[in-house]
Amino acid sequence: MSSGVPHTGRVALVTGGAHGIGLACARALADSGAKVHIADLDGPAAKSAADEIGGEAHEVDLAKDVDSLPADVDILVNNAGLQHVAPIHEFDPAKFALLQQVMVTAPFLLIRRSLPHMYRNGWGRIVNISSVHGLRASAFKSGYVTAKHALEGLSKVAALEGAPHGVTSNCVNPGFVRTQLVEGQIAAQADVHGISAEEVVERIILDRTAVKRLVEPQDVADVVLWLCGPHSSHVTGTSIAMDGGWTAS
């Protein structure tokens, strides 16, 4: 968490900000002084989170609408996402398209809408919550892996175009994060295999990682906050892996 208020007067927009990584990012940015807009499909949860941090909630389906969200934002955190698991030959094309719409097209549209404001002010921070799957592939996740790889490319282009205007764009690439979705997967795997939750994490969920611990949402938020700080003005067009060593092997 920030020890000061470096973002006083700044406006931030966090998509998927009602839960997990997004909520941790919203809290961290609010603690650093920013006015935070939380966009989420879960309207009641978004309102609860916004009330907690003194922000503003927006119930929105990013696959259908981004124009109702504020455009005059200084910090944009593209976090919203979803997952679907199936072999390619059985992957529902409509589901594949939905993943691209939420995790590629929506970030593109939000960046496109935010850049004029950032350019006018000579300052902006775009942080795209990607994934280790933006750098590596796993079987049965063609929709998600495709979307995250595309997000990586979009982020780099935004970095190149934004650099003359004081705007940075980066990706944060966590491995498995301790969220409700992952906790549910752990419990299900424990039941199926007849082993403890701790064994599921180490032997199944984190099989490809060196650090046998889940990433905490606050850990991701701390990196996001760092990328939005004045000391990171030369950090742009890059991807910060928080994968416990997955991509090192």
Side-chain angles (χ1 to χ4, degrees), residues 74 114-115 117-119 122-126 158-169 233 236:
D74 307 294
S114 301
L115 282 178
H117 171 80
M118 295 179 179
Y119 286 177
W123 192 93
R125 296 290 181 267
I126 300 166
L160 296 177
E161 294 185 10
H165 307 279
V167 176
T168 66
S169 176
S233 60
T236 195

Side-chain angles (χ1 to χ4, degrees), residues 124-142:
R125 296 290 181 267
I126 300 166
V127 183
N128 301 296
I129 306 301
S130 182
S131 165
V132 67
H133 283 113
L135 307 172
R136 296 289 188 273
S138 289
F140 312 120
K141 296 183 178 180
S142 59

Side-chain angles (χ1 to χ4, degrees), residues 28-167:
L29 288 165
D31 283 349
S32 74
K35 168 68 179 294
V36 181
H37 292 265
I38 294 177
D40 204 286
L41 190 62
D42 186 342
K47 184 179 186 306
S48 176
D51 289 346
E52 173 197 331
I53 65 172
E56 186 171 337
H58 304 266
E59 181 176 353
V60 61
D61 182 350
L62 293 176
K64 300 176 180 178
D65 171 40
V66 300
D67 291 337
S68 63
L69 296 175
D72 292 345
V73 298
D74 307 294
I75 298 169
L76 172 62
V77 180
N78 286 310
N79 167 72
L82 67 159
Q83 179 64 278
H84 182 70
V85 179
I88 292 174
H89 66 284
E90 297 177 359
F91 209 108
D92 180 0
K95 183 68 73 172
F96 184 92
L98 176 63
L99 267 64
Q100 312 315 307
Q101 187 70 31
V102 172
M103 293 187 285
V104 184
T105 302
F108 161 74
L109 293 173
L110 290 170
I111 292 171
R112 181 177 182 273
R113 296 178 77 243
S114 301
L115 282 178
H117 171 80
M118 295 179 179
Y119 286 177
R120 284 194 298 269
N121 290 341
W123 192 93
R125 296 290 181 267
I126 300 166
V127 183
N128 301 296
I129 306 301
S130 182
S131 165
V132 67
H133 283 113
L135 307 172
R136 296 289 188 273
S138 289
F140 312 120
K141 296 183 178 180
S142 59
Y144 189 83
V145 171
T146 298
K148 291 303 187 182
H149 273 68
L151 183 62
E152 296 281 329
L154 173 63
S155 182
K156 289 180 174 65
V157 174
L160 296 177
E161 294 185 10
H165 307 279
V167 176

Side-chain angles (χ1 to χ4, degrees), residues 159-183:
L160 296 177
E161 294 185 10
H165 307 279
V167 176
T168 66
S169 176
N170 294 285
C171 286
V172 179
N173 303 70
F176 285 97
V177 181
R178 191 184 302 279
T179 61
Q180 291 179 343
L181 178 62
V182 170
E183 293 282 13

Side-chain angles (χ1 to χ4, degrees), residues 5 9 33 47 50 57 93 128 150 158 207 213 220 224 228:
V5 284
K47 184 179 186 306
N128 301 296
D207 176 61
R213 295 192 309 275
V220 182
V224 171
C228 294

